[in-house]
Amino acid sequence: MQSLDVISVNIWQIVISLANLAILFLILKKLLFKPVKKVLSDRQAVLDSKYREADEAAEKAEENRLAWEEKLRIAKSQADDIIKNASDDAKHRGDRIVAEARDKADGIVRQAQTEAELEKRKVEDGIKREIVDVSAALTEKILGREINTQDHRSMIDSFIDGIGDSDE
């Protein structure tokens, strides 16, 4: 029977062990569980705030990117407008310069034509005078006498005018 004493179950001892276990559980729950749970919830809150900040930063970066793309598009549009305006201005200036050059060239051509016409008239007058002088000399020799210069000139002029009219 001795062996039964060693194996015997003492109810009071089990109750006291269970009470110790319950007290130890309550003490650990009070001292450890709530602070550990609080530390975990604080860490979770910090993580949530970091994620929220990261999401806000990503949204702000996306807004900045969209605003930058819009500004870039506007800048490109303005640059295209400036280039188009400069090109149009250059074309207009070029057209104006060409028109002015044509006007100057036309003026030079007109002046040259006028000068040529004047020179032609001078040459014609010179030729007429020479013809008059030669004809006077010939007539003098043929007639053997001197003709009045005034009469001679009027005859020659009428003759030359007749020649000039028939040439034209």
Side-chain angles (χ1 to χ4, degrees):
M1 281 236 215
Q2 265 188 347
S3 64
L4 278 179
D5 282 337
V6 175
I7 298 183
S8 71
V9 177
N10 188 350
I11 294 260
W12 285 109
Q13 204 170 10
I14 292 177
V15 171
I16 290 176
S17 289
L18 284 176
N20 278 340
L21 184 63
I23 292 171
L24 184 61
F25 174 75
L26 291 175
I27 291 173
L28 286 178
K29 183 178 175 187
K30 189 71 169 176
L31 294 177
L32 291 179
F33 186 70
K34 284 187 180 178
V36 167
K37 191 173 181 182
K38 185 177 184 294
V39 166
L40 288 177
S41 69
D42 289 345
R43 281 194 177 178
Q44 187 64 42
V46 167
L47 286 175
D48 289 344
S49 108
K50 294 289 182 189
Y51 281 125
R52 193 170 35 254
E53 289 173 6
D55 290 342
E56 289 172 1
E59 287 175 8
K60 184 159 179 114
E62 181 65 19
E63 288 173 4
N64 288 341
R65 185 187 65 81
L66 292 174
W68 181 79
E69 285 178 353
E70 179 65 20
K71 286 180 182 178
L72 184 62
R73 186 186 62 76
I74 289 171
K76 283 182 180 178
S77 173
Q78 288 174 346
D80 290 343
D81 289 344
I82 288 170
I83 289 171
K84 183 180 178 288
N85 290 339
S87 175
D88 290 345
D89 286 347
K91 183 177 182 225
H92 291 299
R93 285 182 185 168
D95 291 345
R96 188 176 65 233
I97 289 170
V98 167
E100 288 173 0
R102 276 197 190 118
D103 290 343
K104 285 181 181 179
D106 289 344
I108 290 169
V109 167
R110 279 192 302 269
Q111 184 180 3
Q113 287 174 341
T114 304
E115 288 176 3
E117 187 66 32
L118 288 174
E119 197 63 34
K120 180 181 171 189
R121 285 184 188 158
K122 283 181 187 178
V123 169
E124 285 176 354
D125 289 343
I127 290 173
K128 283 181 183 181
R129 269 187 257 121
E130 274 191 43
I131 289 174
V132 166
D133 292 341
V134 169
S135 345
L138 282 175
T139 308
E140 211 176 284
K141 283 190 177 191
I142 292 175
L143 294 176
R145 66 179 177 88
E146 195 171 313
I147 300 178
N148 181 350
T149 311
Q150 185 68 19
D151 292 338
H152 185 262
R153 283 211 187 269
S154 65
M155 281 187 348
I156 300 291
D157 284 340
S158 66
F159 176 73
I160 291 174
D161 286 340
I163 293 174
D165 290 340
S166 64
D167 284 347
E168 291 176 8

